mmCIF file of all heavy atoms in Angstrom:
data_model
loop_
_atom_site.group_PDB
_atom_site.id
_atom_site.type_symbol
_atom_site.label_atom_id
_atom_site.label_comp_id
_atom_site.label_asym_id
_atom_site.label_seq_id
_atom_site.Cartn_x
_atom_site.Cartn_y
_atom_site.Cartn_z
ATOM 1 N N SER E 30 74.088 134.686 160.924
ATOM 2 C CA SER E 30 73.189 133.567 160.686
ATOM 3 C C SER E 30 71.744 134.092 160.710
ATOM 4 O O SER E 30 71.482 135.202 161.137
ATOM 5 C CB SER E 30 73.379 132.447 161.707
ATOM 6 O OG SER E 30 73.153 132.899 163.024
ATOM 7 N N THR E 31 70.824 133.255 160.244
ATOM 8 C CA THR E 31 69.426 133.661 160.154
ATOM 9 C C THR E 31 68.590 132.612 160.889
ATOM 10 O O THR E 31 68.806 131.431 160.780
ATOM 11 C CB THR E 31 68.971 133.736 158.690
ATOM 12 O OG1 THR E 31 69.818 134.639 157.986
ATOM 13 C CG2 THR E 31 67.520 134.200 158.583
ATOM 14 N N VAL E 32 67.605 133.114 161.624
ATOM 15 C CA VAL E 32 66.644 132.243 162.298
ATOM 16 C C VAL E 32 65.273 132.478 161.641
ATOM 17 O O VAL E 32 64.841 133.607 161.443
ATOM 18 C CB VAL E 32 66.540 132.564 163.823
ATOM 19 C CG1 VAL E 32 65.445 131.747 164.476
ATOM 20 C CG2 VAL E 32 67.887 132.315 164.496
ATOM 21 N N GLU E 33 64.639 131.370 161.256
ATOM 22 C CA GLU E 33 63.308 131.418 160.688
ATOM 23 C C GLU E 33 62.345 130.704 161.625
ATOM 24 O O GLU E 33 62.618 129.589 162.085
ATOM 25 C CB GLU E 33 63.261 130.722 159.327
ATOM 26 C CG GLU E 33 64.129 131.382 158.293
ATOM 27 C CD GLU E 33 64.123 130.669 156.947
ATOM 28 O OE1 GLU E 33 63.696 129.500 156.887
ATOM 29 O OE2 GLU E 33 64.564 131.294 155.979
ATOM 30 N N VAL E 34 61.224 131.355 161.941
ATOM 31 C CA VAL E 34 60.208 130.772 162.813
ATOM 32 C C VAL E 34 58.870 130.794 162.096
ATOM 33 O O VAL E 34 58.515 131.798 161.464
ATOM 34 C CB VAL E 34 60.120 131.532 164.129
ATOM 35 C CG1 VAL E 34 59.026 130.948 165.026
ATOM 36 C CG2 VAL E 34 61.459 131.540 164.864
ATOM 37 N N ARG E 35 58.165 129.677 162.164
ATOM 38 C CA ARG E 35 56.857 129.573 161.545
ATOM 39 C C ARG E 35 55.927 128.915 162.567
ATOM 40 O O ARG E 35 56.237 127.891 163.130
ATOM 41 C CB ARG E 35 56.960 128.708 160.298
ATOM 42 C CG ARG E 35 55.691 128.531 159.576
ATOM 43 C CD ARG E 35 55.897 127.608 158.365
ATOM 44 N NE ARG E 35 54.631 127.326 157.759
ATOM 45 C CZ ARG E 35 54.364 127.459 156.489
ATOM 46 N NH1 ARG E 35 55.308 127.847 155.650
ATOM 47 N NH2 ARG E 35 53.175 127.178 156.036
ATOM 48 N N VAL E 36 54.804 129.587 162.826
ATOM 49 C CA VAL E 36 53.810 129.082 163.756
ATOM 50 C C VAL E 36 52.459 128.998 163.036
ATOM 51 O O VAL E 36 52.050 129.949 162.352
ATOM 52 C CB VAL E 36 53.652 130.043 164.981
ATOM 53 C CG1 VAL E 36 52.619 129.521 165.960
ATOM 54 C CG2 VAL E 36 54.997 130.221 165.679
ATOM 55 N N GLY E 37 51.817 127.840 163.176
ATOM 56 C CA GLY E 37 50.547 127.690 162.490
ATOM 57 C C GLY E 37 49.594 126.782 163.233
ATOM 58 O O GLY E 37 49.999 126.069 164.157
ATOM 59 N N ALA E 38 48.347 126.814 162.821
ATOM 60 C CA ALA E 38 47.318 125.961 163.425
ATOM 61 C C ALA E 38 47.550 124.510 163.004
ATOM 62 O O ALA E 38 47.965 124.240 161.887
ATOM 63 C CB ALA E 38 45.948 126.427 163.008
ATOM 64 N N ALA E 39 47.293 123.601 163.947
ATOM 65 C CA ALA E 39 47.401 122.187 163.662
ATOM 66 C C ALA E 39 46.146 121.488 164.183
ATOM 67 O O ALA E 39 45.757 121.708 165.312
ATOM 68 C CB ALA E 39 48.643 121.587 164.338
ATOM 69 N N ALA E 40 45.569 120.705 163.336
ATOM 70 C CA ALA E 40 44.335 119.996 163.706
ATOM 71 C C ALA E 40 43.330 121.000 164.221
ATOM 72 O O ALA E 40 43.241 122.116 163.737
ATOM 73 C CB ALA E 40 44.622 118.873 164.692
ATOM 74 N N ARG E 41 42.595 120.615 165.269
ATOM 75 C CA ARG E 41 41.558 121.496 165.786
ATOM 76 C C ARG E 41 41.936 122.144 167.107
ATOM 77 O O ARG E 41 41.331 123.136 167.517
ATOM 78 C CB ARG E 41 40.252 120.708 165.966
ATOM 79 C CG ARG E 41 39.667 120.235 164.676
ATOM 80 C CD ARG E 41 38.537 119.243 164.836
ATOM 81 N NE ARG E 41 37.545 119.603 165.827
ATOM 82 C CZ ARG E 41 36.370 120.168 165.539
ATOM 83 N NH1 ARG E 41 36.042 120.394 164.285
ATOM 84 N NH2 ARG E 41 35.523 120.426 166.495
ATOM 85 N N THR E 42 42.919 121.634 167.781
ATOM 86 C CA THR E 42 43.197 122.158 169.129
ATOM 87 C C THR E 42 44.647 122.505 169.405
ATOM 88 O O THR E 42 45.022 122.700 170.550
ATOM 89 C CB THR E 42 42.766 121.097 170.177
ATOM 90 O OG1 THR E 42 43.525 119.908 169.951
ATOM 91 C CG2 THR E 42 41.295 120.815 170.131
ATOM 92 N N GLY E 43 45.462 122.602 168.398
ATOM 93 C CA GLY E 43 46.862 122.848 168.664
ATOM 94 C C GLY E 43 47.538 123.728 167.650
ATOM 95 O O GLY E 43 46.888 124.270 166.757
ATOM 96 N N SER E 44 48.814 123.861 167.793
ATOM 97 C CA SER E 44 49.646 124.636 166.910
ATOM 98 C C SER E 44 50.937 123.895 166.650
ATOM 99 O O SER E 44 51.343 123.039 167.418
ATOM 100 C CB SER E 44 49.967 126.008 167.532
ATOM 101 O OG SER E 44 48.819 126.741 167.790
ATOM 102 N N THR E 45 51.599 124.286 165.569
ATOM 103 C CA THR E 45 52.925 123.777 165.305
ATOM 104 C C THR E 45 53.883 124.953 165.309
ATOM 105 O O THR E 45 53.519 126.080 164.969
ATOM 106 C CB THR E 45 53.021 123.076 163.928
ATOM 107 O OG1 THR E 45 52.682 124.024 162.921
ATOM 108 C CG2 THR E 45 52.111 121.884 163.879
ATOM 109 N N LEU E 46 55.095 124.702 165.726
ATOM 110 C CA LEU E 46 56.151 125.699 165.680
ATOM 111 C C LEU E 46 57.366 125.081 165.004
ATOM 112 O O LEU E 46 57.799 124.000 165.397
ATOM 113 C CB LEU E 46 56.520 126.159 167.098
ATOM 114 C CG LEU E 46 57.574 127.242 167.128
ATOM 115 C CD1 LEU E 46 57.233 128.274 168.183
ATOM 116 C CD2 LEU E 46 58.971 126.680 167.364
ATOM 117 N N GLU E 47 57.813 125.726 163.964
ATOM 118 C CA GLU E 47 59.018 125.262 163.238
ATOM 119 C C GLU E 47 60.072 126.319 163.396
ATOM 120 O O GLU E 47 59.830 127.499 163.056
ATOM 121 C CB GLU E 47 58.683 125.028 161.760
ATOM 122 C CG GLU E 47 59.869 124.558 160.967
ATOM 123 C CD GLU E 47 59.509 124.425 159.474
ATOM 124 O OE1 GLU E 47 58.361 124.077 159.166
ATOM 125 O OE2 GLU E 47 60.416 124.703 158.672
#
Side-chain angles (χ1 to χ4, degrees):
S30 59
T31 304
V32 175
E33 297 178 344
V34 178
R35 181 182 173 129
V36 180
R41 294 169 47 99
T42 60
S44 298
T45 60
L46 182 139
E47 179 183 327

